[in-house]
Amino acid sequence: MSLLHTPPNRPAGKSIQLMTTCLCDAFYADVARATVEILEYLGCDIELPDGQTCCGQPAFNGGDWKSSRKVVRHTAKVFAGDKPIIVPSGSCAAMIFHGAPLAFEKESDIEEIQALAARTWELTDYIVNGLGIKEWPGKYEGLITVHRSCHLRGSNSGDAITTLMESIDGLELGAMDEKEQCCGFGGTFAVSFPNISKKMGDLKVENLTACKPDAIAAADMGCMMHFGGMMDKQGNKTNRLHVAQILRNSLQNAGLL
Amino acid sequence: MKSLQKIDIVARDLSDEVQKSTYLSSKAKTEKRMAILQKDFPEANRLREIAGEIKQHTLEHLDQYLAQAEASLKANGAHVHFANDAESANATILKIMQENGAKRMVKSKSMVTEEIHLLPYLEKHGMEVVETDLGEFIIQIDDDHPSHIVTPIIHKNRKDIAKSFEREGLGDYNDDPETITRRARAFLRQKYLDADVGLTGGNFVSAESGRVSLVTNEGNARFSVAANRIHIAVVGIEKIIPKDRDFSLFLNLIARSATGQQLTVYNQFINGPRSPGQPHGPEQMHVVFLDNRRTEVLASECREILRCIRCGACLNVCPIFRQAGGHAYRSVYPGPVGAVLSPLLAGNRFPELADLPKASSLCGACNEVCPVNIPIPDLLLRLRDKAKREKATDAMKGTPSLGLWATLCSQPAMWKTALSMGHTMNYIPTELIPHPSARAWQHNRKLPKFQGGEFRKWFRNRPPSSK
């Protein structure tokens, strides 16, 4: 098994379950809202499982797989069924479709976890590769740099975001150095390695803002919370938006929503 | 802060100069490597996957391929030795020298001899050993350690080197790179001529023919072998490849991945010692196959790491290595590959290096560039789990305990209560936040405003028209 290759043959119907992510649940209500608004614009029927909490990644990355499995088992129970599960986060999506099966390698209930993995999509991956949408209607005047978060590696989401953003009327994608460089979040890594994490974050912010964009976009609020929190601390006011918010705002700007 | 990880401390204290030079040299190589692989091979990724499959296949049948390589080498007239550990490898090499009355050795760069600490061992037994790779030579005179697999002195600049040369009597201070190189060459040339034994590593060994392949850019491996009576190659048992035709794939990949070259400047294939009809070459060739816990690694859940061909691509692309440098890893193999391999090769000293797998944001860049497609982040994660299970306390430093969190995340009612109560966080000053990790986080960042439950409320209460 190689890193973050999306499961094959995932269901791509429009009756879906939404995984909001713990970060949107706690800190970024509008990102979850924008996700709902664009999915409904695309004709999706959204179920929001009430018992959902977190994907289990913090403990998984922190090395506490026992705790992580407890959370993943809960998530599998809450997201029972066979609908596609859509997550507005590359990182949480990767946890479900790659991390969770890894943590369950030696467990007897691995098949349930594999089944959960086999219907999970990152939001933009679902829009472009699941629903086959290559052009996004609407309008957005501005220069935007995209943070290609690491957990989008291999899930086609990096390309999916570019495809969508490039197609928006008025939107210009800003060039930046070292697109592949991690921002330094890495979950518990940012806490255990504060000096390296900060150095990586500084580098990321420098690269993201070098072309003086109107906004920075990302598909992962984890990364954004980390480098955005650094920008806030430094008084850097460059606007930051989740890709879902840009897609939603584009629709609104054109009077489509 | 008491709970800082060792690698984070090194990164914090690293001089700007060393950090910058490590960062810039690795950045340049990453870009060059990506460009050249994609330019020359339209399906570069497929190539990495095939290479990984061949190496994995070889590992799964290593006993057969080793036996075949041994037979082939013997048929070529070479002596084959198997060493279980560092001590036995060192003793074997010493014995070969003593039995042949040899006193002086020239050595071409080999990480595996760093692993077994061959140099101090031979010197202790009265042998003279000279490193002939320029970088390794500088490390030797400085009594230092390599900080990179391919570019061992990525942490030094020419001024450091000029000072070392002056100190060692290799001329007055002069930091012109060409002058430094000329002086080293003049010094080493005499060493080649005086030596009795040339020692090299081996990048690949073909089981089919017993050919040992060596790649260098300085030609020093060639010199080390050519003029001596005895050639000794020390090779990790994982370096076997099944057939000669596999050389083409691996030599293409190793050069591009290591330095962004299509091929290294020197590619040697050594079959065995000089045969009766040949005028030149060593009279004896010895190949020492080293285990040193590799079979234990092969039996572990991280066996894929043995595919590694030591190209250093994962180091160059690793954002942690770029900030902390190779010495931070406190072991022979630094960077992502080292973070997996070193704790495993440490055997029962695993806890001492169990913090290394934590030194990664799991960004996956190492996996993406690895020419043999090693899923390094997965292996790092498995080792984190192992460290936790085996209670390797150093590895857990600074990582918040997540048992309570897991309980919270498995109880929706508690979760929702926490979401609504979390709003108080917006009104208390940072230093009063009742969690050390959240306080530490805010040292460099601001937490966003807490909005727990607001989305759920909106979703429940939105007018039917918008549904």
Side-chain angles (χ1 to χ4, degrees):
Chain A
M1 189 153 49
S2 176
L3 184 79
L4 303 186
H5 281 277
T6 48
N9 309 320
R10 287 171 296 173
K14 288 191 174 179
S15 180
I16 64 145
Q17 288 183 322
L18 179 64
M19 184 181 283
T20 47
T21 80
C22 63
L23 284 183
C24 288
D25 221 359
F27 294 110
Y28 301 104
D30 191 58
V31 173
R33 182 175 164 163
T35 304
V36 168
E37 288 172 332
I38 58 172
L39 287 173
E40 288 189 336
Y41 170 79
L42 295 172
C44 291
D45 177 29
I46 300 172
E47 181 196 324
L48 186 73
D50 188 59
Q52 63 175 294
T53 57
C54 170
C55 65
Q57 184 170 197
F60 176 68
N61 283 2
D64 184 354
W65 285 19
K66 202 174 151 206
S67 292
S68 179
R69 283 192 290 262
K70 189 171 169 179
V71 180
V72 173
R73 282 197 176 98
H74 170 75
T75 299
K77 199 173 75 190
V78 170
F79 284 88
D82 50 15
K83 294 178 183 177
I85 302 167
I86 313 302
V87 197
S89 157
S91 175
C92 310
M95 174 61 200
I96 300 293
F97 68 61
H98 181 80
L102 193 64
F104 277 76
E105 269 175 336
K106 295 173 194 155
E107 302 293 308
S108 57
D109 52 348
I110 184 167
E111 281 181 21
E112 286 160 51
I113 305 308
Q114 282 168 337
L116 180 79
R119 56 195 180 91
T120 300
W121 297 83
E122 183 276 326
L123 175 68
T124 59
D125 182 20
Y126 171 70
I127 295 175
V128 174
N129 302 306
L131 299 179
I133 292 165
K134 314 276 185 219
E135 281 183 35
W136 194 255
K139 220 163 61 182
Y140 195 104
E141 294 292 336
L143 178 69
I144 290 182
T145 46
V146 177
H147 167 56
R148 178 203 184 280
S149 50
C150 301
H151 281 130
L152 301 177
R153 270 200 170 91
S155 77
N156 302 320
S157 299
D159 292 343
I161 294 171
T162 316
T163 303
L164 291 173
M165 304 274 270
E166 274 177 346
S167 70
I168 297 173
D169 184 23
L171 193 153
E172 192 190 339
L173 284 180
M176 59 177 282
D177 197 18
E178 295 201 273
K179 281 187 284 198
E180 312 301 317
Q181 160 91 25
C182 169
C183 72
F185 176 49
T188 52
F189 172 81
V191 180
S192 315
F193 294 80
N195 293 302
I196 300 179
S197 172
K198 181 178 183 303
K199 287 178 184 203
M200 288 164 68
D202 284 338
L203 189 64
K204 184 90 267 180
V205 172
E206 196 183 309
N207 283 328
L208 278 166
T209 54
C211 69
K212 304 208 181 322
D214 300 300
I216 295 169
D220 258 303
M221 291 320 288
C223 310
M224 203 96 105
M225 184 170 85
H226 155 70
F227 69 72
M230 284 178 58
M231 290 167 74
D232 286 339
K233 191 93 179 178
Q234 294 156 5
N236 184 330
K237 296 203 182 334
T238 309
N239 200 12
R240 300 180 297 271
L241 292 165
H242 190 280
V243 171
Q245 290 172 302
I246 291 180
L247 297 178
R248 188 261 321 268
N249 294 357
S250 311
L251 295 175
Q252 285 174 340
N253 292 343
L256 294 167
L257 204 68
Chain B
M1 200 160 64
K2 267 189 297 188
S3 60
L4 279 184
Q5 287 282 356
K6 287 176 185 160
I7 290 185
D8 200 52
I9 295 170
V10 175
R12 182 193 65 194
D13 299 340
L14 202 63
S15 80
D16 282 352
E17 209 177 349
V18 174
Q19 196 274 319
K20 205 173 163 190
S21 104
T22 306
Y23 173 69
L24 289 175
S25 4
S26 58
K27 181 185 169 186
K29 280 185 209 126
T30 300
E31 284 167 358
K32 203 171 158 193
R33 178 210 164 273
M34 297 293 258
I36 196 168
L37 197 63
Q38 278 155 9
K39 179 176 154 276
D40 293 346
F41 298 101
E43 293 213 53
N45 266 332
R46 187 66 198 120
L47 213 61
R48 295 185 322 112
E49 286 166 8
I50 292 169
E53 284 161 20
I54 292 175
K55 282 292 273 188
Q56 194 63 35
H57 161 86
T58 318
L59 292 169
E60 307 296 341
H61 302 89
L62 195 56
D63 48 347
Q64 293 165 31
Y65 284 118
L66 264 176
Q68 197 189 349
E70 183 190 13
S72 307
L73 278 161
K74 281 184 175 164
N76 298 343
H79 302 271
V80 179
H81 313 261
F82 288 94
N84 273 334
D85 53 23
E87 207 183 304
S88 125
N90 289 338
T92 302
I93 294 162
L94 180 67
K95 197 168 159 227
I96 296 168
M97 292 185 76
Q98 286 171 337
E99 282 178 356
N100 288 283
K103 281 279 171 206
R104 288 172 295 264
M105 172 187 281
V106 278
K107 180 178 163 286
S108 173
K109 193 189 171 206
S110 144
M111 292 304 285
V112 84
T113 52
E114 299 278 346
E115 183 186 321
I116 59 177
H117 304 292
L118 176 67
L119 253 68
Y121 177 89
L122 289 180
E123 281 168 359
K124 201 176 78 192
H125 287 88
M127 303 295 170
E128 184 198 274
V129 187
V130 181
E131 293 279 2
T132 61
D133 174 279
L134 181 54
E136 288 284 332
F137 173 65
I138 292 158
I139 288 205
Q140 186 182 23
I141 61 176
D142 280 357
D143 204 14
D144 193 359
H145 302 285
S147 66
H148 191 288
I149 293 174
V150 178
T151 38
I153 51 165
I154 201 169
H155 60 288
K156 288 183 197 286
N157 61 32
R158 59 195 166 99
K159 288 181 191 136
D160 300 330
I161 298 164
K163 279 181 215 152
S164 302
F165 272 44
E166 188 185 24
R167 186 195 63 220
E168 294 296 316
L170 290 164
D172 301 334
Y173 181 92
N174 188 324
D175 61 19
D176 167 47
E178 200 179 314
T179 308
I180 291 172
T181 313
R182 281 187 187 288
R183 286 174 178 179
R185 186 159 68 179
F187 178 84
L188 290 173
R189 183 159 287 179
Q190 194 55 47
K191 296 293 177 188
Y192 288 126
L193 294 171
D194 294 344
D196 313 301
V197 175
L199 185 132
T200 67
N203 292 90
F204 306 100
V205 180
S206 159
E208 181 183 36
S209 64
R211 283 196 176 100
V212 178
S213 133
L214 295 173
V215 303
T216 74
N217 276 321
E218 298 175 24
N220 58 312
R222 197 164 213 153
F223 276 126
S224 297
V225 174
N228 292 303
R229 286 189 286 135
I230 301 162
H231 170 217
I232 304 173
V234 193
V235 188
I237 53 173
E238 80 283 13
K239 294 295 183 81
I240 304 272
I241 53 173
K243 290 182 181 296
D244 279 19
R245 68 166 187 221
D246 300 321
F247 281 129
S248 66
L249 177 62
F250 288 105
L251 292 176
N252 266 300
L253 280 171
I254 197 170
R256 283 176 177 80
S257 305
T259 52
Q261 293 166 283
Q262 287 174 312
L263 278 180
T264 45
V265 178
Y266 300 92
N267 288 269
Q268 264 177 288
F269 300 94
I270 305 170
N271 287 16
R274 173 206 303 187
S275 54
Q278 285 176 317
H280 304 297
E283 294 155 18
Q284 292 177 34
M285 178 186 182
H286 298 262
V287 176
V288 182
F289 283 115
L290 178 75
D291 184 331
N292 211 23
R293 296 211 174 85
R294 282 160 173 75
T295 43
E296 282 175 38
V297 179
L298 193 57
S300 79
E301 55 190 357
C302 294
R303 66 180 66 84
E304 294 101 323
I305 200 65
L306 291 179
R307 291 181 202 167
C308 176
I309 59 172
R310 311 282 189 266
C311 69
C314 62
L315 278 64
N316 291 337
V317 82
C318 177
I320 317 300
F321 176 88
R322 287 166 157 203
Q323 295 296 342
H327 286 163
Y329 293 80
R330 318 191 304 280
S331 46
V332 181
Y333 306 102
V337 58
V340 177
L341 195 54
S342 303
L344 289 168
L345 291 181
N348 56 11
R349 285 177 41 246
F350 172 78
E352 290 171 32
L353 296 175
D355 61 304
L356 301 185
K358 294 280 229 184
S360 165
S361 60
L362 303 168
C363 76
C366 50
N367 184 185
E368 199 169 56
V369 300
C370 176
V372 285
N373 199 26
I374 301 172
I376 295 176
D378 288 4
L379 307 185
L380 294 170
L381 281 157
R382 288 197 179 119
L383 290 179
R384 290 181 187 191
D385 176 50
K386 176 179 155 82
K388 171 80 177 171
R389 281 187 280 111
E390 295 178 7
K391 301 187 171 51
T393 45
D394 276 5
M396 300 315 289
K397 257 187 204 170
T399 306
S401 168
L402 290 155
L404 267 175
W405 164 87
T407 305
L408 180 69
C409 290
S410 317
Q411 307 283 342
M414 271 172 73
W415 175 260
K416 280 186 267 186
T417 309
L419 279 184
S420 57
M421 282 172 57
H423 285 265
T424 49
M425 293 244 291
N426 294 331
Y427 307 105
I428 56 173
T430 310
E431 59 273 18
L432 295 180
I433 292 176
H435 199 289
S437 303
R439 277 199 305 275
W441 169 273
Q442 304 233 67
H443 186 67
N444 292 322
R445 316 163 186 87
K446 268 191 190 168
L447 268 179
K449 192 165 168 281
F450 202 80
Q451 307 176 338
E454 284 180 25
F455 164 69
R456 292 179 186 232
K457 207 160 106 191
W458 170 83
F459 190 84
R460 252 190 334 262
N461 299 334
R462 70 213 159 112
S465 61
S466 78
K467 289 189 189 173

